[in-house]
């Protein structure tokens, strides 16, 4: 009987381990789907996949060896989708004086996105000097909170970005106070792919200089370093 009980107990343990592994593999597949749809800018499908994963990680966050790390990562990715969509008010509601405080202290990645949204959401509303200064003060406080919470080695990339943006908004505020600038820079409409390239002007091409390194023997020859300009095509 003892041998049979041990076999049954072993089978139950293996079944539990298999179920856990199966669930983990399905979560990984969902995360892979979300990442793939993000790369194709299919934000709706990516958000749907992340919402499913978030629900499972909410339950798993209570497990000691899982913790809040995966859940924080999923929530930061969902916030990034809202940011790329330009839904800054969803991340940083205008009525909230400190939206970063609503984020868990350990989720520095999400705090950084929210801090960026504080500035971006206020840009269109900065029509006068006082409003611009108030928006900059909110952005300064948001980035300062991110810097105060970025204490772990994995928070270093977000701390670096927050430090750069913190210095930027502080300089903007100083320029407005001293009268060097009247308003905030207008939001750009370049989109997620950046600004489209353009053909350089002829004046720029004429200013472009070519330097060709010479061998030791060539340096003593007359006219070293001189060559005919390249032939223009077309």
């Amino acid at each position: 009987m003892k041998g049979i009980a041990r076999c049954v107990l072993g089978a139950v343990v293996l079944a539990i381990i298999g179920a856990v592994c199966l669930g983990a593999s399905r979560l990984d597949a969902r995360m892979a789907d979300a990442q793939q749809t993000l790369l194709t800018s299919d934000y709706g499908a990516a958000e749907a996949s992340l919402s499913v994963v978030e629900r499972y990680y909410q339950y798993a966050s209570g497990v000691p060896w899982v913790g809040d790390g995966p859940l924080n990562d999923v929530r930061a990715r969902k916030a990034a989708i809202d940011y790329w969509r330009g839904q800054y008010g969803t991340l940083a509601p205008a009525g909230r004086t400190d939206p970063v405080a609503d984020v868990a202290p350990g989720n520095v990645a999400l705090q950084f996105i929210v801090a960026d949204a504080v500035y971006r959401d206020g840009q269109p509303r900065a029509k006068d000097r006082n409003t611009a200064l108030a928006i900059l003060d909110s952005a300064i406080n948001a980035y300062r909170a991110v810097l105060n919470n970025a204490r772990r080695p994995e928070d270093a990339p977000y701390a670096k970005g927050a430090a750069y943006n913190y210095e930027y908004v502080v300089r903007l505020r100083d320029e407005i106070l001293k009268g060097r600038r009247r308003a905030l820079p207008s939001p750009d409409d370049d989109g997620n792919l950046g600004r489209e390239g353009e053909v350089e002007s002829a004046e720029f091409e004429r200013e472009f200089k070519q330097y060709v390194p010479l061998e030791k023997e060539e340096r003593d020859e007359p006219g070293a370093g001189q060559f005919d300009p390249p032939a223009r095509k077309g």
Side-chain angles (χ1 to χ4, degrees):
M1 291 294 296
K2 291 183 178 179
I4 296 176
R6 290 174 181 175
C7 291
V8 172
L9 180 60
V12 171
V13 171
L14 291 176
I16 294 175
I17 294 175
V20 171
C21 293
L22 178 62
S25 65
R26 289 179 176 176
L27 286 179
D28 289 340
R30 282 282 187 176
M31 287 294 291
D33 290 340
Q35 186 65 25
Q36 182 178 6
T37 50
L38 277 176
L39 293 175
T40 57
S41 299
D42 188 356
Y43 298 139
E47 186 175 22
S49 296
L50 290 175
S51 296
V52 174
V53 175
E54 181 183 16
R55 185 168 63 251
Y56 285 103
Y57 277 140
Q58 282 179 332
Y59 299 117
S61 61
V63 180
W65 59 83
V66 177
D68 295 331
L71 180 61
N72 289 341
D73 179 61
V74 170
R75 288 176 174 173
R77 289 173 185 248
K78 289 183 65 178
I81 292 175
D82 289 335
Y83 185 86
W84 292 335
R85 283 173 167 174
Q87 299 175 352
Y88 310 124
T90 303
L91 300 171
R96 291 290 300 166
T97 56
D98 188 10
V100 177
D102 298 334
V103 183
N107 198 347
V108 178
L110 179 54
Q111 291 177 15
F112 180 49
I113 296 173
V114 171
D116 284 341
V118 170
Y119 174 76
R120 288 294 187 181
D121 184 60
Q123 268 185 301
R125 295 185 283 107
K127 303 299 184 180
D128 55 79
R129 182 176 183 271
N130 292 335
T131 305
L133 290 175
I135 291 170
L136 289 174
D137 287 337
S138 299
I140 289 171
N141 292 332
Y143 288 124
R144 185 186 295 119
V146 176
L147 292 173
N148 291 335
N149 293 326
R151 302 174 182 175
R152 302 169 301 178
E154 56 267 29
D155 298 333
Y158 311 110
K160 184 178 179 180
Y164 180 90
N165 292 346
Y166 177 83
E167 182 179 354
Y168 174 73
V169 293
V170 167
R171 288 186 177 184
L172 280 180
R173 187 180 188 278
D174 184 64
E175 289 180 358
I176 293 178
L177 284 175
K178 293 181 179 179
R180 299 174 183 171
R181 181 187 293 271
R182 295 184 178 181
L184 296 181
S186 60
D188 57 68
D189 297 323
D190 297 333
N192 296 329
L193 300 179
R195 184 171 301 170
E196 185 177 356
E198 58 185 10
V199 179
E200 294 292 348
S201 62
E203 290 77 11
F204 176 80
E205 293 183 358
R206 284 195 292 268
E207 293 176 358
F208 185 74
K209 301 180 183 297
Q210 296 184 6
Y211 294 92
V212 180
L214 302 177
E215 299 291 341
K216 185 177 182 305
E217 295 78 9
E218 296 175 330
R219 297 173 189 169
D220 298 331
E221 296 179 0
Q226 299 179 4
F227 54 90
D228 298 331
R232 299 179 66 88
K233 297 181 180 180

